């Protein structure tokens, strides 16, 4: 099976929480259906940043009701209140929690419009191929070494 990447549009506050490991789960209304073949989730911080800021690996995707997701993963959601979380899922019977692994911050955020003439940020996410991966490889930051 060919591996691919997902370009995920995310609010800058949550992108920052993912990259600083304060947010362990990313929540979505729409499933990433081909998750087992996704190598990296590429983070596109939406307005006002409008840059690719990093990436992470999918550990697993949990499918539950919004209230069950909040009960189990709300503490690692990066969201301060249950009301805001539940508002996001308003009218939805189920949601998806993407467990975040190995978050990598880019040293320099990338403006995709400088590399792709027809770049349009995804509404939620889109599947992308190697062209985005080569951008990330140019600028990967070494993860910090844990000290005892």
């Amino acid at each position: 099976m060919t591996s691919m990447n997902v370009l995920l549009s995310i609010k800058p506050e949550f992108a920052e929480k993912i990259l600083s490991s304060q947010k362990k789960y990313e929540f979505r209304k729409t499933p990433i259906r081909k998750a087992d073949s996704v190598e990296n989730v590429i983070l596109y911080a939406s307005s006002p940043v409008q840059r690719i800021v990093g990436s992470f690996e999918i550990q697993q995707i949990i499918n539950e009701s919004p209230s069950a997701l909040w009960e189990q993963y709300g503490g690692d959601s990066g969201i301060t209140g249950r009301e805001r979380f539940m508002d996001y899922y308003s009218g939805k019977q189920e949601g998806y929690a993407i467990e975040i692994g190995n978050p990598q911050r880019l040293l320099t955020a990338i403006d995709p419009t400088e590399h792709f003439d027809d770049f349009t940020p995804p509404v939620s996410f889109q599947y992308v191929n190697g062209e985005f991966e080569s951008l990330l490889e140019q600028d990967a930051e070494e993860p910090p070494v844990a000290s005892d």
Side-chain angles (χ1 to χ4, degrees):
M1 187 177 288
T2 319
S3 69
M4 67 181 94
N5 294 317
V6 167
L7 180 65
L8 188 77
S9 199
I10 186 166
K11 290 181 176 167
E13 68 173 300
F14 295 125
E16 182 52 42
K17 286 179 179 182
I18 287 171
L19 295 172
S20 64
S21 298
Q22 295 173 333
K23 183 173 169 66
K24 309 257 189 259
Y25 293 89
E26 170 58 17
F27 297 90
R28 293 282 148 165
K29 298 178 209 175
T30 313
I32 295 176
R33 298 218 183 270
K34 306 169 190 166
D36 55 345
S37 60
V38 171
E39 201 164 297
N40 283 301
V41 175
I42 299 167
L43 295 174
Y44 174 80
S46 59
S47 188
V49 175
Q50 298 179 312
R51 299 280 187 278
I52 294 170
V53 294
S55 65
F56 67 84
E57 296 167 4
I58 296 174
Q59 301 294 16
Q60 66 172 327
I61 297 180
I62 300 108
N63 173 224
E64 290 279 356
S65 70
S67 58
L69 289 176
W70 178 257
E71 290 295 316
Q72 293 173 54
Y73 309 107
D76 290 320
S77 69
I79 299 169
T80 49
R82 183 180 192 276
E83 188 175 338
R84 182 176 181 193
F85 183 88
M86 296 308 288
D87 283 350
Y88 173 71
Y89 284 111
S90 179
K92 297 285 182 186
Q93 298 304 308
E94 59 182 15
Y96 302 88
I98 303 167
E99 186 177 359
I100 295 164
N102 194 24
Q104 300 284 317
R105 180 188 304 274
L106 292 178
L107 294 173
T108 308
I110 296 169
D111 180 351
T113 62
E114 292 176 3
H115 300 273
F116 306 104
D117 294 336
D118 58 351
F119 179 78
T120 306
V123 174
S124 177
F125 66 86
Q126 69 189 41
Y127 299 100
V128 294
N129 294 321
E131 67 273 18
F132 281 89
E133 198 166 318
S134 62
L135 287 178
L136 296 179
E137 287 168 1
Q138 295 170 23
D139 201 274
E141 179 179 271
E142 288 301 309
V145 177
S147 57
D148 293 329

